[in-house]
Structure formats: C-alpha cells, structure tokens
Amino acid sequence: MLLLGSSETNDLREPLVGNSREISVSSSSRIDKVQVEGERERDGQTKQRHPKHLTMNKNPWGHWVLLTLTSLAVFISYADRSNISYAISDMAETYNWDETVKGLVMGSFLAGYCVTQWIGGLLADKFGGKHVLSLGLFFWSLFTALTPVAADMNLLVLLLCRVGLGLGEGVSLPAVHSMISRHVPHSVQSSGVAIVTAACYLGTSAAFMITSHLMLAYGWKSTFFLFGAVAVLWFPLWLPFDPHTGWFHVRFVCDGGRGAGSLEREMERPAEYARVPTDVETGGEGIIPPRILGSPEKLVSQETDEETEGDGDG
C-alpha cells in the first residue's frame, strides 16, 4: 500500500513539473515581448524598416555627438533671434520708425515663438525630434535671411517675417529635449540639458559680438544674410546622423547600368546592417528589412523555441 501510494504520488507530481516549466517559458516569453514593445514605444514608435532601431550595436559616443549637433542648432537659434537687438537702431533710422514700431518689430517674434512651443513638443513625441528640429531650423534660417527683404517691402511683411521666425524657433527646445530624453543615457541627461542651455547663451553672446563688427563693415543687412546662411554648414552634419544608433549614414547613389539607386554606400554603417546584393530582396530600400533578419517578435519566439527544445532534451 505504501509503495503504491508513493508511485501514484510521483505520477501526480510529474505533470505538475512539466506544466510549471511550460508556464515559466510562456511567462518569460510574454515578459520579453513586453520589453521589446516598450523599447519600440520609447524610441518614438518608429516603423521597423530595418533593424537599426533595435538596441544592438549602438555607437557608445553617439549621445555626445547628438548633444554636440543639437547644441549647435540651439546656438544658431539664439544667434538668429538676437542679432536684431543691435540692428534695430539702424533699421529704425533707415525706415524712420518710432519707438512704438520698434517695439512691434521686436515683440512680433515672441508672438510666433510661444505658439509652437507646445506644438513642437507634440510633433516631436509623434514624429521624432530630428525631423521637427530639421524643419524648424530650415524655416527660421529662411526667415532670418529674408528679414532685410521684408523690411524693404513694408512693415506688415516684416512683422509677418518675424512671426515666422518665432514659429520656426519655437520647436527647437522641445525637439531637443525630446531627443535627450530618448537617446541620451539617464546618467548624463542632466549634463546634456546643461550643455544645451549653455549653448543658448553662447549663441546670444556670439550674435552681439559678431553683429557689431558686421554692421560697421558691411551694414545691418549683412548680419541677417550671414546668420541665415549658417544653416548651410549645419545641415550636412545633421541630416546623415541617426540619433537611434549614433552613427552617420551617408548614401551615394549612382546609375551603374542598373537604374537609379542600384549602387549605395554608407559611411560608418555597422556590420549587422550590411547591404544585400539585390534590390528585389530589399524592396528598393537597399537595407535588410525585418522580414529577412526577423522581427523582434520572431526573434523572441525563436529564443523561446530554443529554450523549450533545450528543456525537452534535458
């Protein structure tokens, strides 16, 4: 009786052990999937066109490159908004403005600036800070360069130009802070914000020093033309940069006898993101898509299957 009872007890235990193993494997699979989904949502819910948005093989210095480029953008922003503080006196003398008109010209910038502060944050959360900052810097540089032209036309056009400058610059800090929160490690995020903040005041200081010399040498209009053209130097560095990986991606497209886009090269592309030989496999994108390397869910399921097979062999 005792022996029979012990064997029945063992028979009852074995299914429980197997079930617990299956439960542990399925629960770990769910946890892994939740972690993967969390990473994708934290990265701005970007589309998984290629596996660079996974956390593999990131540039360890990429966040410092990001802080450098965004600080330069903020530097340009504050320089473009500050040069009129010196030029306003000569502008008022040229167009016979009184103090009221000078106040309207100076204050019209803030009318546009306050509008896009919260809009810039919403757009950065939805589409990513890089695209928002790129569009903002393009438009505020354009309106900076057009300021002398608008002033020659009439006061209303100048006021609209200054409002446009404020609309463009209003998205700069929300976009930068959004990228810092996503792509900069928590241990250096405060330092990153401090660097960007310092760039604000450096831009203002540089505008005061440069504007005075330009006005004496070439007149007040030259300050707006020069400051607006600075974006030409910044965009070639910013556009190839990927804040997700911290690498610069530069593609050179030529014909090569197989049609446009058939030959592409990238600078500083990690080995995991190597080129595939044909455009058919890539859909014309030239990058290994997730369906070839496997999506995060498939990778998790493969790992789970391997663990299950290992447990079964054991």
Side-chain angles (χ1 to χ4, degrees), residues 43-55:
D43 288 342
Q45 297 178 350
T46 54
K47 294 183 179 179
Q48 300 295 316
R49 294 179 55 207
H50 52 79
K52 72 179 181 180
H53 294 296
L54 300 178
T55 57

Side-chain angles (χ1 to χ4, degrees), residues 254-260 262:
C254 60
D255 183 65
R258 291 174 295 172
S262 58

Side-chain angles (χ1 to χ4, degrees), residues 87-101:
I88 191 66
S89 298
D90 287 6
M91 295 174 68
E93 184 178 352
T94 302
Y95 302 108
N96 297 319
W97 292 342
D98 56 16
E99 296 298 323
T100 303
V101 176

